[in-house]
Every structure is written in C-alpha cells, then in structure tokens.
Amino acid sequence: MKTNDRIYLSSPHMGGTEQHYVQEAFDTNWISPVGPNIDGFEEAIADYTGCGYAAALSSGTAAIHLALVLLGVGSGDEVICSTFTFSASVNPIVYQGATPVLVDSESHTWNMCPETLEAAIKDRLQQGRKPKAIVLVHLYGMPSKMDEIMKVAEQYDIPVIEDAAESLGSTYKGKALGTFGNMGIYSFNGNKIITTSGGGALVSKEKTLIDKARFLATQAREPAPHYQHSDIGYNYRMSNIVAGIGRGQMEVLSGHVDKRRAIYGAYRSAFGNLPGIHFLDEPEGCFSNRWLSTLLIDPSTSTSGVDREHVRESLEKENIEARPLWKPMHLQPVFENCPYYGDGTSERLFEQGICLPSGSNMSDKQMDRVLREISALLNLE
Ligand SMILES: *Cc1c(COP(=O)(O)O)cnc(C)c1O
C-alpha cells in the first residue's frame, strides 16, 4: 500500500499532447535546433503573453545572459538585481564581468522595493557609477510593484530585464509579467509551472532584439557558406524536440495556473486565520500564478511556538517536500562582497518563510495528506 508516497514541491505535469509534437519532430527528422516546434512554441509564448517576440533558448539562465549581452553589459559595469531570488538571476551578471548590486524586497509583494531601488541608484550615481541595467525578479509568481519600479527605471533611464522565470501566467493590471521591461525571460526548467525538461525564453516587443538574440544563441554565425563571425556567440538555442514538449505544455498552462491558485486557496483557507501565520495576498492589480504556495511562520506568535524549520523537518519525516524561501543573495558567500541596499526584509522572509507542495498534478488525496500533517503540527487537531 502506497500511503506514504513522496509529495513534491513542484514536479513536471504533462498535458498529453507533448508526445504528439515530439513524435512529429522524429517523423519529419527535425532533430535539431531549428524546426517547426521551435517556431510554434515561440508563437504560442508570444500569443499567450502578448510579449511581441520570443526566442526559445536552452535555459532561463541563458536568456538572462543574452539579455545582458544585448544591453552591452560588460567588464567593470554594475547591474542592479533583486537580492531575494534564486542564484540564476545574478550569475549571468558575473559571467559578463560586471558587479551585481543587490537590492532588498518590500513586504507587500516580497519583490524589489522601489524606494530602496531609487536609493541604490542615487548612491551609485553619487559614486560616478551609473547602473547599466536592472534585473527585476517576480518571485513565486507574485508581480512586483511595476508602476513604481518602471517609474524609477524610466526616471534614471536604466533598462529593465524582468526575470519572470517563476511567473509565466501572472499579470499586473491585466498585462503579462515579462512584458513591462526592455526584455523579459521565462524558464521551463523541471520545477516551473510548465516545463520542457529544461529550457527558457527571451521575450521583447522589439523584434531587432529577439532577432539578435537568436543570432547570438546560434554561435553568432553570419550568413556565409564558410561561417563568418564578427561577434562572440553562444550555443543557447532550444532543440526542436524539447520545443515540442513546450508546445504541448502551452496548451495546459492556463489549467496549471487555475490548479496552483486553488492549491494556494486551500492552504489559505485552512491556515490563514491562525496567529503567527501570514499569507501573501495579492495587492490590487496583481494576479499571481501561485507557482509555489508560500507562508510565513512567526514563532513568537504562532500556536505552540512552532517555527519554519520544525514544520519543514516534520513534513520531511512524512515524505512531504517543503523548502525555506530563497536565501537572499547578499547572504550567499559567493556574493558577500557585492554592494547591498536594504533593511533586512528579505532576511526576515528567509527566516520565517516556507514553500509548500504546489504541483498542479497533486491529487486531492495528497493535498488532504499535506493539510492534515500541517494541521497536526499547528495543533489544530
Ligand atoms: C528557475 C529560475 C531561473 C533560471 O531558470 P533556468 O531555466 O533553470 O536556467 C532564474 N530565475 C529564477 C527566479 C528562477 O526561479
């Protein structure tokens, strides 16, 4: 009897038509980094998000890297980035020989604080170092304060790259995340809301940027029979096989968003009114895909004084995967010398925050098991 099968945080959830597109690639021998699935996948992304143009790439990290290359970020430059994120948002800045300048979150969206962003820009300007770009992350599907952030970015004339790796399907005032900045990126890694097993996309309303991204992603090969090169290129293109999975996944994206939001709703209604438990509701105008359901546990006011680690470890014993929120980048040894601007908001989120199983393929039975275990931990039974 498998009553204790592992429940994952977020696992791949195929819709059914993926294999059809993959089979088509085999049948027509498009086993390469060009082909109809890539075109179809890029079109589907553009249609769904209204981003304009999309380039399918080997990963979300590659997409961030190309965005920085396209903005001319290079050695000695500074690039502002959310400190509360996964390391993949920051690493490409260092690939380019630039220095990440890390900016803290605010508590309404957990994303980059517009006031701290402005303070950071002013301070860098005072030192004669104008930031070359802003990598803005929308964490766990929650939109950042876009009006405020874009206002600051425009005032100081600094281009924005939206890291929407976790927020495909989320909108701000009805507009898809990833479409506000100069460029946006999505990820199709195995743990994301849709997956191609691994992959990413760079999007922009400027066709020339996306054309250039495709060019750089295919070794910067100029159209000559002998392959002429005037730029340093990369091998970052998505394969036509993988893009077939992506085409199928785009057909079920809306359903995945609905399911993940329902999962969040179930946690929210079960535990939302308990002392010491805090859920992040959507501020006005924000629509989150609820990629991961997250909550904060304040041990000083929570029932029986439980803290996040106690809940996480206890769930692990029951074969249920849970995880702390992202550890801020300014606390990571590899980025400890980077300039940081903040008031400790992301540190508190990291200390108190937990991500709960959120996969769209969780069964009702599995969901009940998770709810039951957490209820027991919080002394609800
Ligand atoms: C997953 C993720 C990435 C990287 O995407 P990959 O496709 O895994 O390279 C970047 N930023 C954030 C916030 C992510 O969660």
Side-chain angles (χ1 to χ4, degrees):
M1 208 172 62
K2 275 174 65 188
T3 50
N4 207 20
D5 57 326
R6 185 151 178 84
I7 300 177
Y8 293 98
L9 207 59
S10 177
S11 66
H13 183 194
M14 293 297 110
T17 59
E18 292 85 0
Q19 279 176 307
H20 156 77
Y21 292 111
V22 171
Q23 188 61 48
E24 211 167 67
F26 275 78
D27 292 344
T28 54
N29 207 30
W30 281 107
I31 315 289
S32 72
V34 287
N37 280 337
I38 297 178
D39 300 342
F41 186 36
E42 289 175 344
E43 264 169 47
I45 295 167
D47 285 348
Y48 192 95
T49 62
C51 65
Y53 303 90
L57 301 170
S58 55
S59 70
T61 311
I64 298 171
H65 189 196
L66 283 186
L68 294 167
V69 171
L70 288 164
L71 292 173
V73 171
S75 181
D77 287 334
E78 291 189 349
V79 174
I80 289 180
C81 186
S82 309
T83 193
F84 193 42
T85 187
F86 175 51
S87 65
S89 310
V90 190
N91 285 334
I93 298 170
V94 180
Y95 301 166
Q96 283 308 98
T99 302
V101 173
L102 301 168
V103 170
D104 206 2
S105 302
E106 38 78 10
S107 58
H108 303 119
T109 71
W110 298 358
N111 293 313
M112 188 185 283
C113 173
E115 283 93 43
T116 313
L117 169 65
E118 180 161 24
I121 294 172
K122 279 184 172 161
D123 190 55
R124 300 325 285 173
L125 284 174
Q126 217 154 49
Q127 299 180 37
R129 307 179 59 82
K130 181 176 170 178
K132 197 88 186 230
I134 299 166
V135 177
L136 173 71
V137 187
H138 307 289
L139 226 49
Y140 304 117
M142 184 62 77
S144 306
K145 292 185 173 175
M146 288 316 295
D147 285 344
E148 291 87 342
I149 295 274
M150 292 310 292
K151 192 167 160 241
V152 173
E154 277 155 25
Q155 186 184 337
Y156 293 91
D157 194 26
I158 303 173
V160 172
I161 300 165
E162 282 180 84
D163 178 347
E166 302 179 1
S167 52
L168 180 59
S170 299
T171 60
Y172 178 83
K173 297 188 175 172
K175 193 165 135 75
L177 298 187
T179 66
F180 289 81
N182 300 61
M183 284 173 268
I185 76 99
Y186 302 115
S187 166
F188 311 111
N189 194 27
N191 61 344
K192 298 302 195 304
I193 193 155
I194 61 165
T195 182
T196 58
S197 72
L202 180 71
V203 304
S204 176
K205 47 190 165 305
E206 283 184 56
K207 183 170 184 295
T208 48
L209 282 175
I210 298 306
D211 286 344
K212 184 87 193 279
R214 290 199 187 102
F215 165 75
L216 292 172
T218 41
Q219 309 285 23
R221 244 173 22 216
E222 286 161 33
H226 55 267
Y227 291 160
Q228 181 86 0
H229 300 277
S230 313
D231 289 279
I232 293 295
Y234 304 86
N235 186 1
Y236 278 172
R237 206 63 166 124
M238 180 178 275
S239 115
N240 190 60
I241 309 255
V242 158
I245 307 176
R247 281 179 96 176
Q249 288 275 279
M250 285 305 290
E251 294 170 5
V252 292
L253 172 56
S254 292
H256 286 196
V257 173
D258 293 345
K259 184 69 199 288
R260 294 209 184 223
R261 287 177 62 85
I263 290 168
Y264 173 83
Y267 288 128
R268 176 88 175 72
S269 60
F271 311 121
N273 295 322
L274 297 178
I277 303 293
H278 172 75
F279 283 84
L280 185 64
D281 289 329
E282 290 160 321
E284 192 162 337
C286 293
F287 176 88
S288 170
N289 67 9
R290 295 293 184 190
W291 171 56
L292 293 185
S293 286
T294 57
L295 58 85
L296 303 180
I297 305 172
D298 179 357
S300 68
T301 50
S302 70
T303 22
S304 69
V306 292
D307 63 13
R308 177 260 282 166
E309 262 319 88
H310 176 74
V311 171
R312 194 189 63 77
E313 284 166 7
S314 306
L315 289 174
E316 186 56 49
K317 282 196 195 106
E318 297 300 323
N319 213 11
I320 296 170
E321 185 186 20
R323 222 177 271 211
L325 300 189
W326 297 121
K327 180 174 183 173
M329 292 303 116
H330 69 277
L331 299 181
Q332 300 285 1
V334 71
F335 299 123
E336 68 187 0
N337 294 324
C338 295
Y340 159 71
Y341 296 84
D343 62 6
T345 298
S346 61
E347 291 172 28
R348 182 180 58 85
L349 294 171
F350 171 59
E351 271 164 35
Q352 300 188 349
I354 187 167
C355 307
L356 298 173
S358 310
S360 46
N361 51 358
M362 251 204 300
S363 67
D364 290 348
K365 241 179 158 164
Q366 289 178 316
M367 188 71 213
D368 284 345
R369 207 176 108 204
V370 179
L371 290 171
R372 217 168 40 239
E373 292 301 337
I374 300 174
S375 297
L377 290 167
L378 300 178
N379 284 345
L380 284 180
E381 292 175 347

